[in-house]
């Protein structure tokens, strides 16, 4: 099994102390956590994309580029790139650039995103968001694969023999489809033979398992080899300690603060107590063996090879956060890596493929910028 740390870069008061870091401090914390993830041996680090409060993750290519400069081996994920809100040409340009800057360590996870405020901000409606996501992805994948693209659609101007630069380092890049509730995104992943990443955060296991089953059904429907299907899954929180009682005692004030926050904005939590969440949700709180057993129960339903933990402390002190991640890597990850086989991630790219050759006459045509010496 492979393990990622993922952050949506929420920016709010600490749930236990009430302290609010500055925006600058919060970004530095995100980058430092990525460096820590690589140091401890996690396989990937993901940055989400949201365009509304309380998140400050509106520019994941910028954040991931800084992380790329501070790391050297860890895979860099988007979680998720909200193609329903973006121009796919602009998104391609950003991520092709990041692909080079990271040495081919980029993995994209795409989805429609959620949140009414960000949809209003970017003029997307509930009626068209799925169509935008599908159309945006179909253009996006062609831009990654083709040097010149002719295309037309509903939501952006058409393209005629359009060239996009830079050409990418990974050809093609692997794209995961993030899904929380939607058969539309699941079907899109299956159609193109792409991996699926289940959110697996808010609800009990059953609805997520049903979507993953549907993915495998559609995968076979589109003629793909069932053995090639690849699934990842999230988790709703993590804290491990040698003794389960210590884990529960430490995590309880964090969980209770989260419940109060939900209720303060009129959201009734699905799991009202920590005990209920430990029993019925994907939250991982307890001893190492308890967490290993729980991940196995989820794997029995999902068949997933990749999972994520929260990259942020979520109310833990920095020392507690580091200590529990170290415990995960020393006592939990080695067991799961051995007992749940997973396919390797792509290796970093060490040499770029040759760029398309532009004939001299074409390069000199009117409207083409020419660089000369002198």
């Amino acid at each position: 099994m492979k393990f990622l740390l993922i952050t949506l870069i929420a920016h709010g008061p600490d749930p236990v102390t009430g302290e609010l870091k500055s925006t600058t401090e919060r970004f530095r914390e995100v980058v430092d956590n990525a460096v820590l993830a690589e140091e401890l041996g996690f396989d990937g680090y993901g940055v989400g994309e949201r365009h509304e409060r309380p998140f400050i993750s509106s520019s994941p290519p910028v954040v991931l580029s800084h992380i790329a400069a501070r790391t050297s081996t860890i895979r860099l994920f988007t979680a998720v790139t909200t193609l329903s809100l973006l121009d796919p040409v602009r998104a391609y340009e950003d991520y092709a650039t990041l692909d080079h800057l990271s040495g081919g360590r980029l993995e994209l996870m795409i989805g429609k995103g959620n949140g009414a405020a960000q949809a209003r901000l970017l003029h997307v409606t509930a009626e068209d968001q799925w169509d935008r996501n599908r159309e945006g992805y179909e253009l996006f994948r062609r831009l990654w694969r083709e040097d010149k693209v002719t295309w037309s659609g509903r939501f952006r101007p058409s393209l005629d023999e359009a060239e996009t630069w830079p050409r990418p380092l990974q050809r093609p890049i692997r794209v995961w489809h993030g899904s929380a509730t939607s058969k539309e995104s699941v079907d899109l992943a299956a159609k193109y033979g792409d991996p699926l990443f289940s959110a697996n955060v808010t609800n009990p296991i059953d609805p997520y398992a049903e979507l993953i089953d549907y993915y495998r059904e559609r995968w076979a429907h589109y003629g793909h080899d069932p053995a090639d299907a690849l699934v990842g899954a999230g988790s709703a929180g993590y804290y491990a300690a040698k003794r389960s009682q210590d884990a529960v005692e430490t995590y309880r004030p964090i969980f209770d603060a989260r419940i109060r926050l939900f209720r303060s904005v009129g959201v009734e939590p699905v799991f009202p107590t920590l005990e209920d969440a430990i029993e019925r949700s994907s939250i991982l709180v307890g001893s190492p063996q308890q967490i290993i057993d729980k991940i196995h129960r989820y794997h029995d339903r999902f068949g997933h090879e990749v999972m994520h933990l929260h990259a942020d402390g979520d109310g833990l002190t920095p020392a507690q956060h580091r200590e529990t991640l170290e415990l995960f890597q020393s006592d939990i990850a080695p067991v799961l890596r051995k007992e749940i086989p997973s396919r390797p991630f792509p290796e970093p790219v060490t040499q770029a493929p040759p760029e398309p050759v532009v004939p001299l006459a074409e390069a000199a045509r009117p409207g083409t910028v020419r660089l000369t010496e002198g």
Side-chain angles (χ1 to χ4, degrees), residues 182-202:
S182 163
K183 285 189 173 182
E184 288 89 343
S185 58
V186 168
D187 188 79
L188 190 66
K191 177 180 179 179
Y192 288 107
D194 295 329
L196 179 74
F197 211 104
S198 171
N200 190 39
V201 169
T202 306

Side-chain angles (χ1 to χ4, degrees), residues 4-10 27 30-31 33-34 44-50 56-68 75-82 95 98 106-109 311-312:
L4 321 177
L5 296 183
I6 286 180
T7 178
L8 295 179
I9 322 187
F27 279 126
V30 167
V31 175
N33 280 337
Y45 190 88
V47 173
E49 179 178 335
R50 295 288 181 90
I56 52 173
S57 51
S58 58
S59 300
V62 178
V63 178
L64 286 169
S65 291
H66 191 54
I67 290 171
R75 299 294 292 180
L76 304 178
F77 282 73
T78 63
V80 299
T81 296
T82 52
Y95 285 114
L98 174 54
L106 179 62
E107 301 238 354
L108 287 164
M109 194 184 302
D312 305 311

Side-chain angles (χ1 to χ4, degrees), residues 22 65 134 202 248 256 322 356 362:
S22 71
S65 291
R134 175 190 50 76
T202 306
V248 170
D256 289 346
R322 183 184 183 105
E362 182 178 347

Side-chain angles (χ1 to χ4, degrees), residues 278-305:
I278 291 172
E279 176 66 25
R280 297 194 301 122
S281 86
S282 63
I283 199 169
L284 303 171
V285 175
S287 68
Q289 189 59 54
Q290 287 174 320
I291 289 173
I292 290 168
D293 292 343
K294 187 167 190 178
I295 292 173
H296 267 292
R297 292 200 302 273
Y298 271 78
H299 179 262
D300 289 343
R301 296 291 304 277
F302 294 169
H304 59 306
E305 299 179 25

Side-chain angles (χ1 to χ4, degrees), residues 318-339:
Q320 288 172 326
H321 184 46
R322 183 184 183 105
E323 183 179 8
T324 197
L325 292 179
E326 289 175 341
L327 184 60
F328 187 90
Q329 289 291 10
S330 64
D331 289 28
I332 300 172
V335 176
L336 292 169
R337 291 185 194 278
K338 180 180 179 181
E339 295 177 350

